Amino acid sequence: MLLNKLEKNETDHFFDIPNLTWKTGENYHYNEMTYVPDSLDDFNLPGYRYIIRSVFKYFNLLDPLPYKGWLQYPNTAILTSKGCTYNCLICGGSKDAYELNCNRKNW
């Protein structure tokens, strides 16, 4: 929906596009979250397959790296799940945070 509007150069309003947040000038707009899939299993997160394919396709190891110098200091996150069932106080990705901010009822 968003891409269709952008292709037609209809950038004056986006109020009819669900789950969208955007800014015009100094004003922020957000549309209600009306679509929340029951499962995230269909999404390839994290996208390691893309990175590996990119290295073989372009014969270039450096472009898909997260930042310059990563080979000398390989700092990365290891994502083991697509959400959390705990409610730790220090985490913005807790069960309640996902439910409140993303309307996620299932993990």
Side-chain angles (χ1 to χ4, degrees):
M1 296 174 79
L2 177 62
L3 292 177
N4 290 338
K5 281 191 176 278
L6 294 175
E7 281 180 348
K8 295 176 185 175
N9 208 15
E10 297 175 2
T11 58
D12 53 342
H13 70 287
F14 301 114
F15 293 102
D16 57 339
I17 301 174
N19 299 2
L20 182 68
T21 301
W22 77 99
K23 180 180 175 183
T24 54
E26 294 297 318
N27 298 320
Y28 294 92
H29 309 277
Y30 72 95
N31 299 342
E32 292 297 320
M33 296 199 47
T34 57
Y35 173 71
V36 179
D38 290 333
S39 171
L40 298 177
D41 291 341
D42 293 337
F43 300 97
N44 186 18
L45 298 171
Y48 297 126
R49 193 174 299 154
Y50 165 77
I51 294 171
I52 293 169
R53 248 187 289 139
S54 176
V55 168
F56 287 109
K57 181 176 181 179
Y58 300 109
F59 301 106
N60 188 345
L61 175 65
L62 299 179
D63 283 347
L65 294 179
Y67 56 87
K68 185 176 180 180
W70 186 83
L71 290 174
Q72 288 77 30
Y73 186 69
N75 185 11
T76 187
I78 298 175
L79 303 175
T80 58
S81 67
K82 296 174 181 154
C84 183
T85 58
Y86 299 105
N87 279 317
C88 304
L89 294 175
I90 61 169
C91 180
S94 68
K95 176 181 170 251
D96 286 348
Y98 272 100
E99 187 172 342
L100 178 66
N101 296 311
C102 305
N103 282 349
R104 300 277 328 142
K105 306 288 189 245
N106 301 323
W107 289 266

